[in-house]
Amino acid sequence: MIGRLLESMFHWFRMVGEASPGGRALEPDGVVAAIVPAAPERSVMNSVLYRNPHALEAAYDELAAAYEEIGASWTVWVPPGDAAASALLETRGHVLDAEPMAMLRKLDGGVERPASDALGDWTSEGDMADVARVNDSAYPFGTDSFSRALRALPEGAGRLYVAREGGEPVACLATADHEGNTEVQLVAVVPEARGRGLSGK
C-alpha cells in the first residue's frame, strides 16, 4: 500500500507542476519535482519525490538549479527511516522541519456510499478557484499562493469537491486517480466553518 501511495504522490506532484501557470514537472531518472514559479515561497508546491537515495543524489544539482532559477523554497519528501537521503540533504543545508504522516484505506469492503442527501451542499464538480481560495484561508501563510499556483487539474485526472454555506465555499478536497488508487489532497475548511464535521463527511 505504501508503494501505491508513493506512486500516487508522484502522479499528484507531476500534475501540480504541469497545471500551474509557467510550471512544469522535472523528471530526472527516479525523481519527480514540481517546479511552480507562481508560488516560489511555498515549498509544499515546489516539492521533490524520489524512488531511492541514489536517484536523489544523482539529480540533486539539477533540482537545486531549477529551484534557484525561480527563486523557490523547496522540499524533499523523505520516507521514514531513509537515513541515506536524510544525511545527503543535511550535507546540502536542508533542515528536517516536519514529519507528515500518510493515511491509507482499502476500499474493497466495509465502506458504503453515503445516502444522496447525506452530504448537504457538497458538489463533486467544484471549481479549482474555490478549492484554492479555501486552502489560502485555511492555511494562512500570509499569501494567496494556492490561488496563484493552482488553476486546474488536467482533464479526467480526478474530482474537486466543494461544500458551500450561504453560497460561499467553506470546505474542499481534491482527488486524483492513478492506477487503481485515489489520492486525496487539498483538504481544507475555512476557520469559521471548522468543528462541524465537514471534512469527515
Side-chain angles (χ1 to χ4, degrees):
M1 287 180 74
I2 292 294
R4 184 174 271 193
L5 169 74
L6 289 173
E7 289 307 313
S8 291
M9 288 179 68
F10 270 78
H11 179 64
W12 173 256
F13 281 106
R14 187 178 294 117
M15 286 195 311
V16 168
E18 293 173 351
S20 181
R24 64 189 171 110
L26 180 62
E27 298 193 52
D29 189 33
V31 176
V32 171
I35 311 294
V36 182
E41 76 281 12
R42 293 303 304 279
S43 63
V44 72
M45 291 180 213
N46 289 286
S47 290
V48 175
L49 296 160
Y50 62 92
R51 297 191 191 284
N52 62 68
H54 303 294
L56 177 62
E57 184 172 20
Y60 187 89
D61 291 341
E62 182 181 359
L63 299 169
Y67 286 120
E68 184 176 354
E69 183 178 332
I70 65 169
S73 298
W74 56 292
T75 195
V76 180
W77 295 85
V78 178
D82 189 345
S86 295
L88 166 69
L89 293 167
E90 189 174 337
T91 66
R92 303 296 178 97
H94 292 258
V95 176
L96 179 64
D97 68 351
E99 295 185 30
M101 300 297 291
M103 293 181 281
L104 305 110
R105 170 73 188 229
K106 286 188 177 182
L107 298 179
D108 56 359
V111 179
E112 294 183 20
R113 182 178 297 280
S116 59
D117 61 350
L119 297 180
D121 196 10
W122 275 93
T123 179
S124 62
E125 297 178 3
D127 184 86
M128 183 58 92
D130 290 333
V131 171
R133 192 163 63 248
V134 170
N135 273 266
D136 279 329
S137 176
Y139 305 108
F141 291 94
T143 76
D144 60 347
S145 54
F146 285 100
S147 294
R148 281 185 279 116
L150 300 176
R151 298 294 175 87
L153 288 179
E155 188 70 29
R159 293 184 178 269
L160 300 174
Y161 293 84
V162 176
R164 296 181 179 278
E165 290 183 356
E168 291 298 313
V170 295
C172 66
L173 64 86
T175 64
D177 300 328
H178 181 68
E179 296 182 358
N181 190 52
T182 296
E183 177 92 0
V184 178
Q185 289 280 356
L186 299 173
V187 179
V189 179
V190 298
E192 58 270 24
R194 290 179 184 157
R196 302 180 201 166
L198 290 170
S199 290
K201 288 183 180 180

